[in-house]
């Protein structure tokens, strides 16, 4: 499959289409899209962990329609409470069918329903060029790093939502514990 470069007009249109379902502001969606655009031509799949209603997933799907996109979520809310996060168990419930309607249900779009990483059993051998990590809690981010890092292609990126945001302090703690300063490009 041929991978084409991502145009800024495509990025802006994708963000505009996703803005009504994403809790993230325009600047955060733009930063995610720009980071993905920089690695979209690399080999490997794309992931959105903490897909929720599908806003970020829609952007990733629109910017790389020829890549396998993996959406990970319980769609039943946070599976755990975390003392380092203001979000509690059960928050962030979303409708999986609405997410599928928004993002699509083609053969390149994969929905992994349940608690990550228990939903990855069918992904042996898959490599990723980009993963947007947004599960909010320390333990979920820590597990995501352990799972995605060895599956990242050379030059690929892991992007962490909520890094440095005090209400989700576990995200920063998990990233800081997992990577050296040289490895981090926040």
């Amino acid at each position: 499959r041929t991978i084409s470069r991502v145009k800024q007009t495509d990025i802006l249109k994708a963000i505009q289409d996703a803005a009504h379902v994403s809790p993230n502001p325009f600047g955060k969606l733009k930063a995610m899209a720009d980071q993905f655009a920089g690695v979209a031509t690399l080999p490997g799949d794309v992931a959105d962990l903490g897909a929720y209603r599908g806003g970020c997933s829609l952007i990733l799907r629109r910017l790389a329609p020829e890549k396998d996109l993996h959406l990970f979520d319980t769609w039943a809310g946070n599976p755990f409470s975390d003392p380092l996060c203001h979000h509690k168990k059960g928050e962030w419930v979303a409708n999986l069918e609405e997410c599928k309607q928004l993002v699509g249900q083609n053969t390149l779009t994969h929905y992994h329903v349940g608690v990550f990483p228990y939903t990855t059993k069918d992904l042996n051998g898959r490599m990723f060029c980009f993963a947007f990590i947004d599960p909010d809690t320390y333990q979920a981010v820590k597990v995501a790093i352990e799972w995605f890092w060895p599956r990242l292609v050379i030059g690929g990126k892991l992007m962490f939502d909520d890094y440095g945001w005090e209400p989700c302090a576990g995200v920063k703690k998990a990233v800081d514990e997992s990577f050296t300063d040289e490895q981090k490009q926040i």
Side-chain angles (χ1 to χ4, degrees):
R1 299 183 283 203
T2 333
I3 310 293
S4 57
R5 292 232 174 253
V6 178
K7 299 177 192 156
Q8 283 298 310
T9 54
D10 294 337
I11 289 173
L12 294 175
K13 175 70 171 124
I15 293 169
Q16 181 182 32
D17 292 345
H20 73 284
V21 296
S22 178
N24 291 316
F26 174 86
K28 194 181 278 190
L29 295 174
K30 177 80 165 71
M32 190 244 354
D34 287 343
Q35 290 300 311
F36 174 60
V39 298
T41 59
L42 294 175
D45 295 356
V46 180
D48 183 4
L49 174 58
Y52 186 48
R53 295 174 62 202
C56 291
S57 300
L58 177 64
I59 294 169
L60 297 169
R61 169 53 53 230
R62 291 274 180 87
L63 299 183
E66 69 287 338
K67 284 192 169 284
D68 281 279
L69 172 64
H70 301 271
L71 289 77
F72 298 94
D73 207 304
T74 64
W75 282 278
N78 284 347
F80 311 106
S81 287
D82 178 349
L84 296 173
C85 182
H86 75 291
H87 300 306
K88 301 300 175 214
K89 180 178 180 177
E91 288 186 45
W92 297 100
V93 174
N95 185 307
L96 174 60
E97 293 309 313
E98 288 177 6
C99 185
K100 286 180 177 180
Q101 285 180 336
L102 178 72
V103 181
Q105 298 185 64
N106 65 35
T107 59
L108 297 176
T109 307
H110 314 278
Y111 295 86
H112 304 275
V113 181
V115 177
F116 185 89
Y118 304 111
T119 57
T120 63
K121 290 178 178 56
D122 62 337
L123 296 178
N124 290 336
R126 295 283 191 150
M127 297 296 287
F128 292 81
C129 68
F130 186 83
F132 185 66
I133 313 295
D134 186 14
D136 298 331
T137 64
Y138 169 81
Q139 60 269 41
V141 172
K142 192 77 166 167
V143 168
I145 292 167
E146 291 168 1
W147 195 87
F148 280 109
W149 184 250
R151 292 167 177 84
L152 200 62
V153 301
I154 294 173
K157 291 184 179 181
L158 301 180
M159 186 171 183
F160 300 91
D161 189 50
D162 299 324
Y163 181 89
W165 189 50
E166 191 55 38
C168 290
V171 175
K172 183 177 187 322
K173 179 177 172 41
V175 171
D176 289 351
E177 287 177 0
S178 300
F179 300 109
T180 65
D181 287 340
E182 286 99 32
Q183 289 172 315
K184 285 187 287 185
Q185 291 182 355
I186 306 298

